[in-house]
Amino acid sequence: MDDLSPGKDRTVLLLPFTPAILNQPDVLLPIIHDVLTRTLSKHFTVIFSTPYLPFDLETASSFTIDSHQQLFNVLKLNPDANFGVFQAFLGKVYSALVAAQWSCERVSMDVEVLFEGELGDLMLDVENTQVVKLQDFDYLPVHAHLPTNAVILKTSMDLPNGVPSLHPPAASSHQTVALGGTFDHLHAAHKLLLQLATFLSSTRLIVGVMADSKLSSKSNADLIQPIDERITVIETFLSRLGLVRKADPDRVQKEGHRVIMDVVEIEDPFGPTAWDRDIQILLVSQETVSGGKMVNDLRKGKQLPELKVYIVDVISSEHHAGRRDLSKVEDEAVLKELKMGSTGIRQWIKDHPEM
């Protein structure tokens, strides 16, 4: 690979997104690790795009799909049924990013994964962005404003065999999804949660962000970002995924259907799930499954509709990044100890003040 420029603020890695890669993303993980560890950029973005190449989406489904259609949009035709395969893919990609961050001690680097087909526009400072592409994948996403010159990664890649079974389009539904947390120093595990919640949402996404007053007992509490900053960072990321702010209804009317983001401060573990009748789905991470049961017990006592609970696998902490699969661990206390979280990042910041 040609040398990466040390002076660029953001590195964008373009990768193909096909049914075979969706089914077996492992072939791309070493590439992600290699490029991230070699860049000095503050921001690292992976963009997946379905190339106009001769693969047959019909072999992965029981319905006809336009061969030029983005695979991400195909998955969104039935997000409930396709949630499992999409979560497995996205979780592996974010885990690879985390492992690379810790291996090269770039823990404070901002990492994200985007898909062509999401409605958000990637507005970048072209002068301060470098693009890395595979030698056999000469394609720039339509909706991303990227520099046309790119670093070409010369590597041979054997595409995996086999494709997942994609599900036919579902009847349109109006799904409001909710999730909550501290969201301090927004990191890969947070973005995995937010991105999967966005994937399931069709009308509104509610994100409860814990109030400052409830966080004083946390480790290195003095390093926790204030509530306004945490909310702003979440809203910025969701905007990149195509969501619009609740206070911006004119944009919804002008641009057509968009999912509304409703990022709110909460002072208890329940937030709007304790009273909002319009919520249908609750997204929880693997180590907080019991919290989902508590929410539904509370709603049952208030004669509110029960929420469908989706569970997201957690990403390993810095001590196990890329080396331990936590999807089979059921003990919530063990998961909280092993998962990647803001606690470990705050400790890293404290130990590396120069970074």
Side-chain angles (χ1 to χ4, degrees), residues 171-352:
S172 60
S173 61
H174 300 285
Q175 293 191 147
T176 293
V177 180
L179 73 160
T182 302
F183 297 103
D184 179 43
H185 293 90
L186 198 71
H187 52 68
H190 290 143
K191 291 182 177 181
L192 174 63
L193 276 170
L194 291 168
Q195 208 151 3
L196 290 171
T198 299
F199 181 73
L200 290 169
S201 302
S202 59
T203 54
R204 184 164 59 118
L205 173 60
I206 301 172
V207 183
V209 186
M210 193 59 69
D212 292 336
S213 60
K214 303 299 181 180
L215 304 176
S216 59
S217 63
K218 286 189 173 289
S219 175
N220 293 311
D222 58 310
L223 295 177
I224 295 176
Q225 296 168 318
I227 182 69
D228 289 346
E229 184 174 349
R230 287 182 281 134
I231 287 178
T232 297
V233 173
I234 292 170
E235 290 181 336
T236 299
F237 177 64
L238 293 178
S239 294
R240 293 163 83 83
L241 301 182
L243 278 69
V244 296
R245 290 174 175 82
K246 184 179 180 181
D248 195 10
D250 292 341
R251 185 178 176 194
V252 179
Q253 184 175 6
K254 179 181 178 181
E255 300 182 15
H257 176 69
R258 293 271 185 153
V259 175
I260 302 293
M261 68 174 89
D262 194 359
V263 187
V264 298
E265 181 178 1
I266 59 175
E267 296 191 348
D268 60 65
F270 302 102
T273 62
W275 51 265
D276 193 329
R277 181 174 292 274
D278 293 333
I279 300 172
Q280 290 88 34
I281 293 175
L282 176 66
L283 197 75
V284 299
S285 56
Q286 194 177 353
E287 87 284 5
T288 59
V289 173
S290 61
K293 184 178 184 304
M294 290 173 58
V295 168
N296 272 328
D297 287 345
L298 177 66
R299 289 176 68 88
K300 183 178 180 180
K302 294 184 175 183
Q303 286 77 52
L304 292 171
E306 182 177 352
L307 303 181
K308 185 175 182 179
V309 179
Y310 281 81
I311 302 169
V312 177
D313 295 336
V314 300
I315 295 176
S316 300
S317 71
E318 65 274 20
H319 303 294
H320 304 277
R323 294 187 293 275
R324 179 164 184 180
D325 179 10
L326 302 183
S327 62
K328 305 302 181 185
V329 180
E330 296 182 356
D331 189 310
E332 291 188 4
V334 173
L335 285 168
K336 289 176 181 177
E337 181 68 24
L338 297 179
K339 72 162 189 171
M340 177 192 179
S342 301
T343 300
I345 291 179
R346 288 195 300 273
Q347 186 61 50
W348 187 89
I349 293 172
K350 181 178 180 179
D351 295 340
H352 300 81

Side-chain angles (χ1 to χ4, degrees), residues 17 22 71-79 82 86 166 199:
F17 189 44
L22 170 65
L71 178 56
F72 176 82
N73 296 126
V74 174
L75 295 172
K76 278 286 289 183
L77 293 173
N78 196 334
N82 291 322
F86 186 63
L166 303 182
F199 181 73

Side-chain angles (χ1 to χ4, degrees), residues 41-231:
S41 300
K42 295 180 181 178
H43 307 277
F44 190 85
T45 300
V46 180
I47 300 180
F48 284 99
S49 178
T50 303
Y52 298 159
L53 296 176
F55 69 86
D56 187 4
L57 274 172
E58 290 190 48
T59 63
S61 63
S62 58
F63 58 100
T64 301
I65 305 172
D66 182 351
S67 62
H68 287 180
Q69 191 168 359
Q70 287 293 315
L71 178 56
F72 176 82
N73 296 126
V74 174
L75 295 172
K76 278 286 289 183
L77 293 173
N78 196 334
D80 296 277
N82 291 322
F83 179 81
V85 66
F86 186 63
Q87 177 194 197
F89 174 85
L90 194 58
K92 283 191 173 185
V93 173
Y94 271 119
S95 292
L97 290 169
V98 170
Q101 282 182 278
W102 285 99
S103 70
C104 66
E105 296 190 338
R106 304 299 309 282
V107 178
S108 59
M109 176 189 286
D110 172 46
V111 299
E112 66 184 359
V113 180
L114 302 176
F115 294 84
E116 185 170 10
E118 290 171 322
L119 294 175
D121 290 327
L122 186 61
M123 302 299 293
L124 301 176
D125 180 356
V126 173
E127 293 298 321
N128 288 309
T129 299
Q130 64 181 337
V131 175
V132 180
K133 299 192 296 185
L134 304 183
Q135 61 182 348
D136 297 325
F137 181 53
D138 188 16
Y139 180 75
L140 286 176
V142 174
H143 295 100
H145 301 276
L146 300 173
T148 55
N149 60 315
V151 177
I152 304 300
L153 182 61
K154 298 180 175 65
T155 182
S156 59
M157 183 178 69
D158 295 325
L159 290 178
N161 295 317
V163 293
S165 176
L166 303 182
H167 296 271
S172 60
S173 61
H174 300 285
Q175 293 191 147
T176 293
V177 180
L179 73 160
T182 302
F183 297 103
D184 179 43
H185 293 90
L186 198 71
H187 52 68
H190 290 143
K191 291 182 177 181
L192 174 63
L193 276 170
L194 291 168
Q195 208 151 3
L196 290 171
T198 299
F199 181 73
L200 290 169
S201 302
S202 59
T203 54
R204 184 164 59 118
L205 173 60
I206 301 172
V207 183
V209 186
M210 193 59 69
D212 292 336
S213 60
K214 303 299 181 180
L215 304 176
S216 59
S217 63
K218 286 189 173 289
S219 175
N220 293 311
D222 58 310
L223 295 177
I224 295 176
Q225 296 168 318
I227 182 69
D228 289 346
E229 184 174 349
R230 287 182 281 134
I231 287 178

